[in-house]
Amino acid sequence: MKTRFILINTSHAGNVGATARAMKTMGFGDLVLVAPRWPNVLRREETIQRASGALDVLENARIVATLDEALDGMGHLCATAMTPRDFGPPTRAPRAHFELLLEEELLAQMGQALEAENTSNLVVESPASASAPGAQSAEAGIAFLFGSERFGMRNEDVYRCHVALSIPTNPKFSSLNLGAAVQLIAYEWRQALGGFPVHSSVPASQQADAQQVAGMLAHWEEALAAIGFLDPAAPKKLMPRLNQMFNRAQPTQEEIHILRGVAKAMLQTAAQAKH
């Protein structure tokens, strides 16, 4: 589903840059500004600085004069309005609405697939059928609308939308910066679409194999005997128990090296004690 972020009457250049950065971190790039305060806002120094590298989003962004132009090609409109209104679309938290939206989209796709299967043996699809309302709905995108920093969205703009998204916040302090609001909406929408995998900053360690564990245990058996902890004549079940313990621990190769270093130090200390 195409995704577009629309900023209406934005007055602070830094918020445009912050919006571009928030969008790019979540993999979105379609930004439209409706009548911003600064005609050259996309090139202002503060905008570029706050974008923090998301220059491609700024380069591809468009400035239009009216909301109608910004909504071209969009089918599902989401207002972001924190102030309750007596009239207008339903108000929902982003996560709840996205779950409902995608569920409805999935059901619609299943219905279209079933209908196509039932009619495939009866008629050959004509070129005109590709432009039917169902096809247009599947191709339509979703737009997130954000109002000006001082006044939010106008009522008439909210009334045009299918839903008013309200980010759950502390009731005693619900003020959100525009860039922060965009980041939250972008994150929730990306998660609803499947999200991105988490990449660990620590490289994965390779688990030691059975031969490496056995070599380490033989080294430890020698060291434990050298310091008098293990009696080779009556070892009982000490080494099998240690073997089971390390099997449960599943040590890495690096950890095996450490344990063998400990055994080496024990052997050296025992040798020095004899002299």
Side-chain angles (χ1 to χ4, degrees), residues 99-183:
E99 291 175 354
L100 179 63
L101 177 64
L102 294 179
E103 181 181 349
E104 292 175 348
E105 180 71 16
L106 178 61
L107 291 175
Q109 291 177 0
M110 292 174 62
Q112 291 174 4
L114 182 60
E115 182 179 356
E117 182 179 352
N118 291 337
T119 59
S120 60
N121 296 326
L122 300 177
V123 296
V124 177
E125 183 180 7
S126 65
S129 65
S131 60
Q136 292 177 351
S137 175
E139 295 176 359
I142 182 172
F144 298 110
L145 284 63
F146 298 82
S148 68
E149 293 88 338
R150 292 186 61 189
F151 304 109
M153 289 188 63
R154 300 184 306 169
N155 285 339
E156 50 265 42
D157 292 338
V158 175
Y159 297 157
R160 300 182 61 173
C161 296
H162 298 85
V163 66
L165 298 180
S166 181
I167 299 171
T169 56
N170 179 359
K172 297 180 180 179
F173 190 75
S174 59
S175 176
L176 271 175
N177 173 268
L178 176 58
V182 171
Q183 185 72 81

Side-chain angles (χ1 to χ4, degrees), residues 8-195:
I8 305 171
N9 303 134
T10 308
S11 58
H12 296 288
N15 284 333
V16 175
T19 293
R21 180 181 184 181
M23 290 172 56
K24 185 168 184 177
T25 60
M26 292 297 113
F28 302 115
D30 190 354
L31 172 62
V32 179
L33 309 180
V34 179
R37 176 185 178 186
W38 308 99
N40 67 337
V41 66
L42 296 174
R43 299 184 299 276
R44 291 180 70 87
E45 181 179 357
E46 184 181 359
T47 305
I48 295 173
Q49 289 179 348
R50 291 287 301 277
S52 189
L55 299 182
D56 53 338
V57 178
L58 294 179
E59 291 171 358
N60 294 323
R62 295 183 294 120
I63 296 179
V64 297
T66 66
L67 182 57
D68 284 330
E69 297 173 83
L71 295 177
D72 181 44
M74 296 292 104
H76 188 80
L77 311 181
C78 301
T80 51
M82 298 295 292
T83 304
R85 286 166 169 79
D86 296 332
F87 173 80
T91 299
R92 298 192 185 106
R95 188 174 304 178
H97 180 65
F98 296 157
E99 291 175 354
L100 179 63
L101 177 64
L102 294 179
E103 181 181 349
E104 292 175 348
E105 180 71 16
L106 178 61
L107 291 175
Q109 291 177 0
M110 292 174 62
Q112 291 174 4
L114 182 60
E115 182 179 356
E117 182 179 352
N118 291 337
T119 59
S120 60
N121 296 326
L122 300 177
V123 296
V124 177
E125 183 180 7
S126 65
S129 65
S131 60
Q136 292 177 351
S137 175
E139 295 176 359
I142 182 172
F144 298 110
L145 284 63
F146 298 82
S148 68
E149 293 88 338
R150 292 186 61 189
F151 304 109
M153 289 188 63
R154 300 184 306 169
N155 285 339
E156 50 265 42
D157 292 338
V158 175
Y159 297 157
R160 300 182 61 173
C161 296
H162 298 85
V163 66
L165 298 180
S166 181
I167 299 171
T169 56
N170 179 359
K172 297 180 180 179
F173 190 75
S174 59
S175 176
L176 271 175
N177 173 268
L178 176 58
V182 171
Q183 185 72 81
L184 286 168
I185 295 293
Y187 171 79
E188 289 289 353
W189 180 230
R190 174 54 64 191
Q191 290 299 104
L193 294 176

